[in-house]
Amino acid sequence: MKRVALLVQYDGYHYSGWQKQKNATTVQEILESALFKITNHTVKTFAAGRTDAGVHASGQVVHFDIDSVIPGFSYSNILNNLLPSTIRILESVEVKNSWHACYSAVYRHYRYVINNGKFPNLFINNWSWHRYQKVLDEVLMLRASKTMKGEHDFFAFQKSGSNRRNSVTKIKNIDIKRVEDLIFVDIKATGFLYGMVRLIVGQLVLVGEKKISSDIFIDRWVNKKKNDVKESAPAKGLCFVNAVYEENVFKKVNNNDFFPLFLINGFS
């Protein structure tokens, strides 16, 4: 048996998330169906992060074990010929059997895109949240967000239905910047709770619109006031950018492959 790692992009608009579900079309289901066509055997896949329905991925990492003479680097081309255009394999490589897409990851990187302009943008509508009622103060949003850096209990930013044993995780870095009408919220953490990023962004938008103060934002998550955290940003603005490992197993890609720079620089 060999272990193969995949670097995967997908348009989450078309899927009910990564993980297989009954009566729903998911990325894992489509990918495993393609692998079955190659091997005529059931192949189980494991991902670095379980994205929710409607959430995109520019650099999702997946691995699977397979008994095949096909070299690891060939699976990207083979799978791309079987997959729909909404799922692309950027690269495939053979890795050590001890390497795991989820458990070997040092941290994950999510990005949320807000279109704060007066008018919707047809070209990015499915990849951003058009929040236009007020001009957002990204400086206030950034100032409030920095209090979350480090290891904390983020119970207030966890949606119901999570099967995690606890709600403690470590945020390595948060960055918020505006490029014309677009606001980019980048969060890097060792792990993410169910619905965590969307709940954080929903609260930060309230800070940016000056509907709540930074002190109220901080009080809500520090004191686990989950019932006060009602606003959640829509899924379509969220993207799983990539997962980072101690050793870079993918050699052919660069940062622009993960999240196209034109989306950022095109508004500058």
Side-chain angles (χ1 to χ4, degrees):
M1 296 288 284
K2 70 177 69 172
R3 181 160 292 185
V4 178
L6 305 176
L7 190 60
V8 188
Q9 287 187 340
Y10 49 85
D11 184 347
Y13 179 81
H14 301 274
Y15 302 101
S16 296
W18 157 259
Q19 192 172 12
K20 289 175 72 172
Q21 305 171 37
K22 292 182 179 180
N23 304 316
T25 302
T26 67
V27 179
Q28 186 179 32
E29 175 196 353
I30 298 297
L31 181 56
E32 290 185 358
S33 294
L35 286 167
F36 183 84
K37 292 177 182 178
I38 298 172
T39 64
N40 203 31
H41 295 287
T42 299
V43 178
K44 186 170 177 59
T45 57
F46 301 85
R50 296 179 179 180
T51 54
D52 298 334
V55 176
H56 315 286
S58 63
Q60 174 71 277
V61 180
V62 177
H63 87 256
F64 58 87
D65 294 328
I66 195 165
D67 184 7
S68 172
V69 296
I70 300 173
F73 66 83
S74 296
Y75 281 95
S76 54
N77 288 334
I78 296 171
L79 286 168
N80 282 335
N81 287 325
L82 298 171
L83 292 168
S85 60
T86 49
I87 304 175
R88 291 288 88 185
I89 310 300
L90 295 180
E91 189 177 352
S92 62
V93 295
E94 187 172 343
V95 294
K96 297 176 182 178
N97 287 341
S98 59
W99 186 93
H100 196 284
C102 180
Y103 302 132
S104 296
V106 177
Y107 66 87
R108 288 109 175 131
H109 175 191
Y110 275 91
R111 171 173 290 159
Y112 199 95
V113 182
I114 303 169
N115 177 8
N116 194 213
K118 292 182 179 180
F119 305 104
N121 187 308
L122 177 66
F123 296 100
I124 62 169
N125 186 53
N126 288 338
W127 289 77
S128 63
W129 178 20
H130 185 210
R131 184 77 175 198
Y132 58 90
Q133 290 84 352
K134 292 185 178 181
V135 177
L136 292 169
D137 187 331
E138 70 278 8
V139 175
L140 283 180
M141 294 168 65
L142 179 61
R143 191 178 301 153
S145 72
K146 288 299 183 181
T147 62
M148 296 186 293
K149 188 175 179 180
E151 186 173 81
H152 304 286
D153 189 335
F154 292 103
F155 175 77
F157 294 138
Q158 179 176 249
K159 287 187 175 181
S160 301
S162 173
N163 56 6
R164 280 181 61 119
R165 288 180 295 178
N166 62 65
S167 48
V168 176
T169 191
K170 182 178 181 179
I171 292 181
K172 292 177 64 67
N173 189 54
I174 298 180
D175 189 34
I176 301 175
K177 74 173 184 177
R178 174 186 287 272
V179 182
E180 297 293 337
D181 288 333
L182 296 186
I183 294 176
F184 298 90
V185 181
D186 286 276
I187 305 179
K188 297 176 181 178
T190 55
F192 288 87
L193 310 178
Y194 178 44
M196 179 178 175
V197 178
R198 292 168 58 193
L199 287 170
I200 288 175
V201 172
Q203 293 297 294
L204 288 175
V205 162
L206 296 181
V207 174
E209 292 178 339
K210 300 179 182 177
K211 291 182 178 178
I212 65 172
S213 66
S214 295
D215 288 340
I216 291 176
F217 171 85
I218 295 168
D219 177 64
R220 285 180 176 179
W221 75 262
V222 169
N223 293 305
K224 306 177 186 179
K225 295 182 178 180
K226 188 174 183 177
N227 292 335
D228 292 341
V229 180
K230 298 181 174 64
E231 299 80 3
S232 178
K236 65 178 184 175
L238 183 58
C239 181
F240 183 102
V241 177
N242 68 321
V244 175
Y245 302 85
E246 288 186 1
E247 180 184 356
N248 181 21
V249 298
F250 301 106
K251 311 296 185 183
K252 295 181 180 179
V253 299
N254 56 48
N255 289 336
N256 192 47
D257 292 317
F258 290 134
F259 202 94
L261 294 178
F262 75 84
L263 186 57
I264 301 175
N265 296 337
F267 284 76
S268 59

